[in-house]
Amino acid sequence: MPTVSLLAASADVIAADAVVVGAVRAAGGARIAPGARAVEKAMGKRLAAALATLEVTGRPDEVVRIPTLGTAPFPLLVVTGLGDDPHDAESVRRGVGAALRTLTGHGHVRVAIDAPPGVIAEGALLGSYAFTAYKSAPDRRRLRRITVPGSGAGARREVAHARVVAGAVAAVRDLVNTPPNDLYPQSFAGRARSLAEAAGLAVEVLDERALRRGRFGGILGVGAGSARPPRLVRISYRPDRPRARVALVGKGITFDSGGLNLKTAKMEQMKSDMGGAAAMIASICAVAALKLPVEVVATVPMAENMPGGAAYRPSDILTFRNGRTVEVGDTDAEGRLILGDAIARAAEDGPDYLIEASTLTGAQVVALGPRVIGAMGEPAWRDAVVAAGNAAGEAVWAMPLPDDLRPGLDSPVADLVNVTGDRWGGMLVAGHFLADFVPAALPWVHLDIAGPAFNTKAPWGYTPKGGTGAGVRTVIAAVEHLAG
Ligand code: BES
Ligand code: MN
Ligand code: ZN
């Protein structure tokens, strides 16, 4: 990650490899957003003329590059669209992020936009992410320093916070982007351990023998068809005098082939099926780095859903950690099976709140599109998490758990079945399934991040193609909300 330096907003000498300014949408063409005085001074009337020539509109994701040809102390000016409101924090994050996506080879980039330093730093760091681990000859030019306007202790605190958040998002993106031939339950557990130990956290990894001893029938059932056995990772952060105790649970399917109910579409996207697990691992590390006064325990089940000779079958009945029995109607509804066990285990600690995140259903993408997280659960806690996530810049929307959908999960032979006989309300049905494993008095929320976790389309704002880090900022913000 590049370093972030602060420079008083009033500084008018600008030396950098590139300078980013904002453009705001306005009647009769874009205007330059506040914060660019020094740039306007250096370039004079030429700047407005250049914007008119280039027909800059200021719409989001419009990024225009202008070489300064010796007229300014920086060789490249980048004008990024902020939309209608330059005071909206998320618009600034996205605009700055979109600009930084095009500048990953420029050593030093200065952002000249009048916005809180933490907002600019977060957008810039999120946008400057690149996944190069598998490139045999990665570009050696690299962004090393980002300068944002601001000064003083408050500004330094904001930037430090942005670094923690962006670092957590980048860690999730790296894990999701890592291909499933290298990221499988054992190696994923190893990466989780390294991240957690680096954050000073206690880690416990249950291997397949420990899972059998612990009667984790859901995790073992789903993992049975893979040559790579499942794991359950437990990470704990225990500060002195916590104000609340939160359990985090995330779906860690390192690859979802569908199992014997083999997928017939989009299987190549299913390396992202551990995005919820990665989000929880990174979030607990971030909560520790921020030293929040909230106790957090992450319970993360990891399995590969494959159709090998030992695979679980449609019509199998699995017995879970908490004694519940589940008839397998479809081996491709595997996430809820590993999560049932993990939620039951997490609840044994008696937490005050539960947050679970998973790439659980294609129905989420049908209902809300690829960018909006669906939130289900106990209404008050669900709404608190939605509000925290929205304030942090993630799109999260509350969804109901209609009573009439629950009987569809009744099984004639077991306590419940993992799918209903039709497609209706698939995201909500999955929420009902999870609810069965949550103790009655525990406030819980389920975040379905199936679409948002993995961007299959063009990059936008600070969001790259591939792993996005969806959910992390919502979880951190929800824990911060409890910290007060
Ligand atoms: N991992 C998938 C859900 C998914 C779909 C994630 C698209 C990301 C993008 C999940 O395990 C799954 O296969 N769900 C099934 C459930 C169905 C069998 C009830 C689905 O959504 O089709
Ligand atoms: Mn599946
Ligand atoms: Zn899945």
Side-chain angles (χ1 to χ4, degrees), residues 245-248 295 345-354 439 441-443:
R245 305 173 63 222
V246 180
L248 303 180
E295 184 173 304
R345 175 63 190 88
E348 289 169 20
D349 301 335
D352 302 318
Y353 301 92
L354 170 71
L442 173 58

Side-chain angles (χ1 to χ4, degrees), residues 251 256 263 270 273 330 332 334 336 359-362 419 450:
K251 173 178 173 181
D256 182 11
K263 282 190 184 296
M270 288 302 134
D273 215 15
D330 189 323
D332 199 12
E334 83 298 338
R336 59 198 76 180
T359 48
L360 205 56
T361 67
V419 288

Side-chain angles (χ1 to χ4, degrees), residues 124-156:
L125 292 171
L126 291 173
S128 66
Y129 173 87
F131 182 67
T132 55
Y134 288 80
K135 294 286 190 188
S136 57
D139 196 340
R140 287 198 12 252
R141 294 168 316 150
R142 206 157 62 78
L143 175 64
R144 289 171 199 285
R145 181 147 80 105
I146 303 166
T147 300
V148 309
S151 59
R156 281 196 296 276

Side-chain angles (χ1 to χ4, degrees), residues 172-236:
V172 175
R173 291 174 178 176
D174 282 346
L175 288 166
V176 168
N177 290 334
T178 300
N181 54 332
D182 283 343
L183 194 93
Y184 44 89
Q186 186 182 4
S187 64
F188 190 15
R191 304 254 314 239
R193 181 187 285 283
S194 308
L195 288 165
E197 285 178 351
L201 300 177
V203 187
E204 177 194 17
V205 178
L206 279 66
D207 64 10
E208 62 272 33
R209 280 189 51 210
L211 289 169
R212 276 195 294 273
R213 275 199 304 270
R215 301 176 184 279
F216 290 93
I219 298 171
L220 288 164
V222 171
S226 172
R228 289 144 164 181
R231 294 287 183 269
L232 180 67
V233 174
R234 302 251 305 156
I235 305 171
S236 21

